[in-house]
Amino acid sequence: MKKKISGVTSIDFFCIGFGAIVGVGWAVSINSWMAGSGGPCLLHSAIRLH
């Protein structure tokens, strides 16, 4: 029988780090895509200015 590993392993840390890097990249890219296309970011700013 295999011993059950409890706790956080190095593979877990790698997956969390890689996911954080990809997630931040998507958040930054989507923000610039929305601003360039006149999406909700600009609409929200226009409403606040009036």
Side-chain angles (χ1 to χ4, degrees), residues 1-2 4 6-7 14 21-22 24 27-28 30-31 38-41 46 49:
M1 219 194 279
K2 285 189 171 185
K4 185 176 178 182
S6 62
F14 173 77
I21 291 168
V22 171
V24 168
V28 170
I30 287 175
N31 186 27
C41 298
L49 291 176

Side-chain angles (χ1 to χ4, degrees), residues 10-37:
S10 59
I11 294 175
D12 296 332
F13 278 119
F14 173 77
C15 291
I16 291 169
F18 184 77
I21 291 168
V22 171
V24 168
W26 272 107
V28 170
S29 297
I30 287 175
N31 186 27
S32 64
W33 291 342
M34 289 290 184
S37 64

